[in-house]
Amino acid sequence: MAQNRPVKITETILRDAHQSLIATRMTTEQMLPIIEKMDQVGYHSVECWGGATFDASLRFLKEDPWERLRKLRAGFKKTKLQMLFRGQNILGYRHYADDVVEYFVQKSIANGIDIIRIFDCLNDLRNLETAVKAANKEKGHAQIALCYTLGDAYTLDYWTKMAKDIEALGANSICIKDMAGLLVPSKATELVGALKKTVKIPIQLHTHYTSGVASMTYMKAIEAGCDVIDTAMSPFAMGTSQPATEVMVEAFKGTEYDTGFDQNLLAEIADYFRPMRDDALASGLLNPKVMGVDIKTLLYQVPGGMLSNMVSQLKEQHAEDKYYEVLQEIPRVRKDLGEPPLVTPSSQIVGTQAVLNVVMGERYKMMTKETKAVLRGEYGQTVKPFNKEVQKKALGNDKPITCRPADLLKPELQTIEAEMAQWKEQDEDILSYALFPQVATEFFKYREAQSTKIDSKAADSKNGAYPV
Ligand code: CO
């Protein structure tokens, strides 16, 4: 019999699962009662921070994301905590200077993060250097994600070369990040097999159920040597989220990949989250539409979240009848912009430009600031060259940049701190403000008002303290 090689599991219910299904609206109060049980499962890690959770906490839940992290850290005594980090964008949508990136990594680890999954929407590794070095320096685990996508440029050679570069950069592990659910089982065998032959560091696979193949893909990936998979507890699994934890655990039971997890314990955890799912269905926060198989994602290679954004943009313009035209325009815009993977923020940039091209009735009659920035090289280098004509239209006679974009940015931490000094109650506030100046300011005002209320003993915690 083969030697046992238990598959490791990263649980995503506290981050990606609720980001994918209920617009990142799970509150800290909803998480805390169950984490003691979750801590007993034996997860490789629990993904609980970063991605959209930071923005959504401040913007919609009126919660301090740092406070959430500290509370989770206090509850998870033995399980590693993991976050998602957008390289030089951190958790925001523009490039930040290195001093902000370094400080954010330092504070994330100081407040409780063990593993930082870092990615760049163009797979330009230069945009990950600073974050990886900072994580190494703080003794955190730096995982670099390669954003999986399809296209002429994305060959096995491309992926294995990238994996070699990732290892050389000092990453502790590699994640294949398949945000749209495009990795089909047979390709997982090929890709994971090739990566395992190329690098020594562990390989983790992250996918979404959107196109319906995810659990089969995991099975094949594990058989090909994948070390860790990302799953979500069943009440917030499948659809645009991850395969269900309990199902994957059961699928490997009694095999050389047996996780050894206790299904009764998992059942208790699922029981805790199920009413939350029922409430979300009843309120409409969880749309049954996202729970099915969306085969369009395979046809158009578009992540689920991007499709729903596109629908709402078309609605605003009263142009819902243009849906299929835009779907066909997306791959064309993607080609013009150097065929990047479609993941935040490149997915929004390509999607919005495709909508504009169709609604305006003429391609690139209007270009967003972000489209121009991509064509100017401000996001980094794309795998394929830009469409020269479109680039000319965007830049005129300006020269594009070819260096690492952050090399052109001056340190900005001090300026930011000075700008927000009146609101600062903790050092971490500087970073909240750096990422989302307006949203953070609104939150700081709210926080101040709340503490004044509490001071005057007039606080009523039931009075809209947690707007959802
Ligand atoms: Co994801």
Side-chain angles (χ1 to χ4, degrees), residues 15-16 177 179 206 208 242:
R15 205 286 296 178
D16 203 355
K177 180 176 162 62
M179 47 281 165
H206 173 89
H208 288 255
Q242 275 79 50

PDB file of all heavy atoms in Angstrom, residues 15-16 177 179 206 208 242, ligand 1:
ATOM      1  N   ARG A  15     -13.839  33.710   4.782  1.00  0.00           N
ATOM      2  CA  ARG A  15     -13.386  34.705   3.810  1.00  0.00           C
ATOM      3  C   ARG A  15     -14.018  34.447   2.440  1.00  0.00           C
ATOM      4  O   ARG A  15     -15.044  34.990   2.122  1.00  0.00           O
ATOM      5  CB  ARG A  15     -11.852  34.736   3.729  1.00  0.00           C
ATOM      6  CG  ARG A  15     -11.262  36.082   3.241  1.00  0.00           C
ATOM      7  CD  ARG A  15     -11.416  36.373   1.764  1.00  0.00           C
ATOM      8  NE  ARG A  15     -10.699  35.444   0.880  1.00  0.00           N
ATOM      9  CZ  ARG A  15     -10.737  35.520  -0.446  1.00  0.00           C
ATOM     10  NH1 ARG A  15     -11.420  36.474  -1.050  1.00  0.00           N
ATOM     11  NH2 ARG A  15     -10.116  34.626  -1.178  1.00  0.00           N
ATOM     12  N   ASP A  16     -13.396  33.594   1.642  1.00  0.00           N
ATOM     13  CA  ASP A  16     -13.831  33.513   0.247  1.00  0.00           C
ATOM     14  C   ASP A  16     -15.271  33.034   0.104  1.00  0.00           C
ATOM     15  O   ASP A  16     -16.010  33.522  -0.754  1.00  0.00           O
ATOM     16  CB  ASP A  16     -12.898  32.599  -0.545  1.00  0.00           C
ATOM     17  CG  ASP A  16     -12.915  32.891  -2.037  1.00  0.00           C
ATOM     18  OD1 ASP A  16     -13.725  33.742  -2.452  1.00  0.00           O
ATOM     19  OD2 ASP A  16     -12.138  32.285  -2.775  1.00  0.00           O
ATOM     20  N   LYS A 177      -4.263  29.585  -8.274  1.00  0.00           N
ATOM     21  CA  LYS A 177      -5.476  30.332  -7.923  1.00  0.00           C
ATOM     22  C   LYS A 177      -6.381  30.365  -9.144  1.00  0.00           C
ATOM     23  O   LYS A 177      -6.146  31.117 -10.084  1.00  0.00           O
ATOM     24  CB  LYS A 177      -5.078  31.743  -7.489  1.00  0.00           C
ATOM     25  CG  LYS A 177      -6.226  32.641  -7.090  1.00  0.00           C
ATOM     26  CD  LYS A 177      -5.659  33.978  -6.584  1.00  0.00           C
ATOM     27  CE  LYS A 177      -6.692  35.085  -6.583  1.00  0.00           C
ATOM     28  NZ  LYS A 177      -7.824  34.822  -5.694  1.00  0.00           N
ATOM     29  N   MET A 179      -9.633  31.420 -10.044  1.00  0.00           N
ATOM     30  CA  MET A 179     -10.748  32.222  -9.542  1.00  0.00           C
ATOM     31  C   MET A 179     -12.038  31.991 -10.323  1.00  0.00           C
ATOM     32  O   MET A 179     -13.122  32.225  -9.810  1.00  0.00           O
ATOM     33  CB  MET A 179     -10.381  33.712  -9.509  1.00  0.00           C
ATOM     34  CG  MET A 179      -9.717  34.281 -10.734  1.00  0.00           C
ATOM     35  SD  MET A 179      -7.943  33.848 -10.781  1.00  0.00           S
ATOM     36  CE  MET A 179      -7.552  34.231 -12.486  1.00  0.00           C
ATOM     37  N   HIS A 206      -6.587  26.364  -5.282  1.00  0.00           N
ATOM     38  CA  HIS A 206      -7.766  27.139  -4.909  1.00  0.00           C
ATOM     39  C   HIS A 206      -8.646  27.258  -6.149  1.00  0.00           C
ATOM     40  O   HIS A 206      -8.208  27.736  -7.182  1.00  0.00           O
ATOM     41  CB  HIS A 206      -7.323  28.534  -4.457  1.00  0.00           C
ATOM     42  CG  HIS A 206      -8.454  29.471  -4.214  1.00  0.00           C
ATOM     43  ND1 HIS A 206      -9.072  29.587  -2.989  1.00  0.00           N
ATOM     44  CD2 HIS A 206      -9.094  30.351  -5.023  1.00  0.00           C
ATOM     45  CE1 HIS A 206     -10.027  30.494  -3.057  1.00  0.00           C
ATOM     46  NE2 HIS A 206     -10.069  30.978  -4.283  1.00  0.00           N
ATOM     47  N   HIS A 208     -13.044  27.519  -7.661  1.00  0.00           N
ATOM     48  CA  HIS A 208     -14.445  27.836  -7.362  1.00  0.00           C
ATOM     49  C   HIS A 208     -15.337  26.850  -8.096  1.00  0.00           C
ATOM     50  O   HIS A 208     -14.988  26.366  -9.168  1.00  0.00           O
ATOM     51  CB  HIS A 208     -14.756  29.278  -7.781  1.00  0.00           C
ATOM     52  CG  HIS A 208     -14.125  30.297  -6.874  1.00  0.00           C
ATOM     53  ND1 HIS A 208     -14.831  31.004  -5.945  1.00  0.00           N
ATOM     54  CD2 HIS A 208     -12.838  30.699  -6.737  1.00  0.00           C
ATOM     55  CE1 HIS A 208     -14.016  31.805  -5.270  1.00  0.00           C
ATOM     56  NE2 HIS A 208     -12.790  31.643  -5.738  1.00  0.00           N
ATOM     57  N   GLN A 242     -16.395  27.499  -2.887  1.00  0.00           N
ATOM     58  CA  GLN A 242     -15.526  26.325  -3.038  1.00  0.00           C
ATOM     59  C   GLN A 242     -16.315  25.021  -2.842  1.00  0.00           C
ATOM     60  O   GLN A 242     -17.424  25.047  -2.323  1.00  0.00           O
ATOM     61  CB  GLN A 242     -14.408  26.379  -1.983  1.00  0.00           C
ATOM     62  CG  GLN A 242     -13.198  27.216  -2.391  1.00  0.00           C
ATOM     63  CD  GLN A 242     -13.430  28.696  -2.228  1.00  0.00           C
ATOM     64  OE1 GLN A 242     -13.873  29.165  -1.196  1.00  0.00           O
ATOM     65  NE2 GLN A 242     -13.145  29.450  -3.277  1.00  0.00           N
TER      66      GLN A 242
HETATM   67 CO    CO B   1     -11.310  32.632  -4.606  1.00  0.00          CO
END
